[in-house]
Amino acid sequence: MSHMEKHLFNLKFAAKELQRNSKKCDKEEKAEKAKVKRAIHKGNMEAARIHAENAIRQKHQSLNLLRMSSRVDAVASRVQTAVTLNQVSKSMSGVVKSMDATLKSMNLEKVSALMDKFEKQFETLDVQTAQMEDTMGNTTTLTTPQNEVDMLLHEMADEAGLDLNLELPSGQTSSLASSVASTEQDELSQRLSRLRDQAS
């Protein structure tokens, strides 16, 4: 096995590993969702929110790993082609040599930077780097979108057949009841302000 073939094997292995980690995150997401449901049943909203945040985080991480896996896989295919056609340039083999430790680290930021280097080598082979960089731009965000957390809490409560009185941003409640309630609330406050206007 030549050096290049060994590196190619490592690339393919890394793509599989990233995919496996993505599936692990999916499992974690499901487990956290179950905990959300249990916490809601017990009326423990604080715990429910924490588990909902964890679930959303796992979901995003899973997608990021899956994207990166397909990115590494695409690079592996291009390396394979270059090896087959004997088109491995000096700079390309330099990048390949530096990659083993990075791939082992499974650090998304480092792997992403490595893929950027690779894709530069392959730009002549029509690499759609811009599109990839857009999707990878948000891989390292640690913040959890609160509206997604709220939506998940409601979803789990609906499944558990319970009603949650969370303040959701408008347009994000799935249940009709709450929108009806808010309409009534609006009419009530309008009537009150009219009364106040008449009184003053």
Side-chain angles (χ1 to χ4, degrees):
M1 192 189 265
S2 73
H3 275 311
M4 211 58 193
E5 283 168 336
K6 180 171 161 275
H7 292 310
L8 186 57
F9 172 82
N10 288 343
L11 262 178
K12 287 178 178 170
F13 181 79
K16 282 203 176 75
E17 194 64 19
L18 285 160
Q19 201 171 8
R20 215 176 344 228
N21 288 347
S22 168
K23 283 189 180 133
K24 267 187 208 159
C25 288
D26 284 342
K27 272 190 188 155
E28 287 293 327
E29 184 199 351
K30 285 193 183 93
E32 290 295 337
K33 277 183 172 178
K35 287 175 187 171
V36 171
K37 221 181 266 188
R38 279 202 296 275
I40 290 173
H41 263 304
K42 289 177 183 164
N44 186 347
M45 283 316 297
E46 204 172 327
R49 178 170 289 276
I50 290 166
H51 290 305
E53 283 180 0
N54 290 343
I56 299 294
R57 203 175 294 122
Q58 292 292 350
K59 177 183 160 189
H60 285 280
Q61 183 69 347
S62 168
L63 285 172
N64 289 332
L65 287 162
L66 203 56
R67 277 194 204 109
M68 187 55 85
S69 169
S70 73
R71 203 175 166 193
V72 173
D73 203 41
V75 167
S77 300
R78 294 190 200 112
V79 171
Q80 177 89 66
T81 307
V83 169
T84 310
L85 301 176
N86 269 330
Q87 288 177 341
V88 180
S89 64
K90 272 206 176 96
S91 55
M92 195 194 292
S93 52
V95 174
V96 169
K97 275 178 192 146
S98 69
M99 77 185 188
D100 286 358
T102 308
L103 290 176
K104 279 198 186 85
S105 77
M106 280 290 150
N107 174 323
L108 279 189
E109 268 182 273
K110 284 182 184 168
V111 175
S112 183
L114 182 69
M115 293 305 108
D116 288 344
K117 272 191 199 169
F118 254 118
E119 283 157 2
K120 281 196 180 70
Q121 303 293 331
F122 287 106
E123 256 158 23
T124 49
L125 299 178
D126 186 28
V127 181
Q128 301 137 338
T129 41
Q131 181 198 342
M132 277 302 192
E133 274 153 20
D134 282 349
T135 48
M136 291 309 304
N138 55 7
T139 54
T140 50
T141 51
L142 293 171
T143 54
T144 312
Q146 285 310 303
N147 60 338
E148 288 189 47
V149 173
D150 288 336
M151 290 298 283
L152 180 60
L153 287 170
H154 272 270
E155 197 187 307
M156 292 295 113
D158 284 348
E159 282 179 27
L162 296 164
D163 189 33
L164 278 196
N165 297 321
L166 280 185
E167 287 296 313
L168 273 193
S170 58
Q172 292 194 321
T173 51
S174 51
S175 60
L176 190 62
S178 54
S179 58
V180 172
S182 65
T183 314
E184 285 169 5
Q185 190 67 42
D186 288 350
E187 283 169 10
L188 189 64
S189 41
Q190 276 165 13
R191 249 180 277 155
L192 281 172
S193 64
R194 275 201 296 274
L195 285 173
R196 269 200 297 274
D197 291 344
Q198 286 163 8
S200 57

